[in-house]
Structures are given as C-alpha cells and as structure tokens.
Amino acid sequence: MTTHQGSGPAVSHQARSTTGRYTYRAKAPRPQTADHTDHATLAHALGAHRQLLSHATSAIRTLTAARNELIAQAIEDGLTIATVSAATGENMKAVRTIALAYDDLHPSGLPRTVHLPALKQKSDELRAAERHRARITERREALIVMALRNQVCDDLELASLTGLTADHIRRSTRGIARPA
C-alpha cells in the first residue's frame, strides 16, 4: 500500500512514522552471493593487513629510538663514528647526526667493547622488523591487485579499507589490467 503526505510523490518503500514524516523502510537483506562473500573476505584481509602494518610501523619506531640511543651513548663513551657505522650498518653521516641529536648524554663508564654487541643486536632486530613490514606491504599490494582484477572493490573503497589515498591506489596499480 502506497501512502504519501502533502503534494509529494507516492513512495512504495516508505511508511508513515510516528512523527508524521516518511521513514525509509527498504532494508532488504543482501543475498549472500559469491561477490558479497569475496568482498567481505577481502575487506577483512585488508583490515587485518592495515592493523599488522600499523603494529609493524610502531615496532620499527620503537626499535629505531632504542638503537639511536645506543648509538649516541656509544659515541659518548668513546667509540668512533666509523666503528659504530660498521656495527650498525648505517652510514657515517647518519651516525654523526644521531649522536649530535642526543646532546644531554653523559659517559656511562662502561668499556667501549660492551656497546658493540648491543648495537649489532638492536640493528639486526630493526632490519628484521623492516623486512616484516615490507612483506606485509607486499601482501597488501597483492590483495589490492586481486580486488581490482576481480572487480570486488573500486579505487575509493580500496583506499578506505587500506588507509591509502585513492590517488595512491591508482598510481600503484596503473599497469594492472582491469576487466571492462
């Protein structure tokens, strides 16, 4: 039954609410088709990768701060910039910049050789965390490509799910063949 109020057109999916205005009532459930299932699965996977990437980035920030403090303390305790550079894998200019950023440190009194194992370990942990983040990013990019090829999501929805911009999605998938 179609009802309408005033001079407005009749609307079949609406009914009168208690306030006298029309209320949208067309809330038909979406059928569980293969496309909807693919979309839900992909959305869940992209959300999980977004969270994993956030955790990996946070771990990298923490490890970088700890390593930088170790670098500055080692330089303050008398290790040369070249020795610290060799132990950490950073170039000498970066080591010098890091050491200069910590101007409030005092000599710890520890022997110089104590710093090298800690620097190597923290640098190895940082490189492992960066490799982990790169793997997560590669898997996210593969999911984006799969979504575009299978037409499960468009650029804007992918941007929303990944936390990237739609422009970044378009640029990074420029050469991907998309079905018409």
Side-chain angles (χ1 to χ4, degrees):
M1 178 169 129
T2 303
T3 61
H4 63 85
Q5 178 180 13
S7 62
V11 179
S12 62
H13 292 292
Q14 297 177 353
R16 185 179 297 274
S17 73
T18 58
T19 60
R21 297 178 184 255
Y22 286 104
T23 305
Y24 186 71
R25 301 279 183 182
K27 294 183 180 177
R30 293 174 96 179
Q32 288 291 332
T33 63
D35 289 342
H36 181 68
T37 304
D38 290 347
H39 182 270
T41 303
L42 184 72
H44 176 72
L46 286 171
H49 278 79
R50 184 177 183 177
Q51 187 174 17
L52 285 171
L53 197 57
S54 175
H55 288 299
T57 302
S58 177
I60 288 171
R61 273 194 304 271
T62 303
L63 288 168
T64 300
R67 192 229 26 208
N68 289 353
E69 190 170 331
L70 287 172
I71 288 172
Q73 189 64 57
I75 297 294
E76 186 66 34
D77 286 346
L79 280 174
T80 64
I81 291 175
T83 304
V84 172
S85 175
T88 60
E90 288 290 331
N91 64 42
M92 291 197 315
K93 182 179 179 186
V95 170
R96 184 180 303 113
T97 303
I98 291 167
L100 290 173
Y102 290 84
D103 58 357
D104 58 346
L105 290 177
H106 302 288
S108 67
L110 296 172
R112 288 185 242 171
T113 56
V114 172
H115 294 287
L116 289 176
L119 282 169
K120 287 179 182 177
Q121 179 186 359
K122 199 57 74 176
S123 294
D124 290 344
E125 290 174 14
L126 180 59
R127 281 191 288 278
E130 288 170 343
R131 285 191 303 270
H132 177 67
R133 181 180 63 180
R135 284 192 303 271
I136 294 169
T137 303
E138 287 173 9
R139 283 183 271 171
R140 180 187 66 187
E141 296 300 318
L143 286 171
I144 290 170
V145 168
M146 182 177 60
L148 290 173
R149 281 191 178 148
N150 296 338
Q151 293 181 330
V152 177
C153 299
D154 64 349
D155 296 344
L156 293 174
E157 188 172 9
L158 281 172
S160 172
L161 291 170
T162 60
L164 301 170
T165 63
D167 197 37
H168 180 269
I169 299 278
R170 282 186 214 103
R171 278 194 316 268
S172 66
T173 59
R174 191 166 282 150
I176 304 300
R178 300 180 191 196

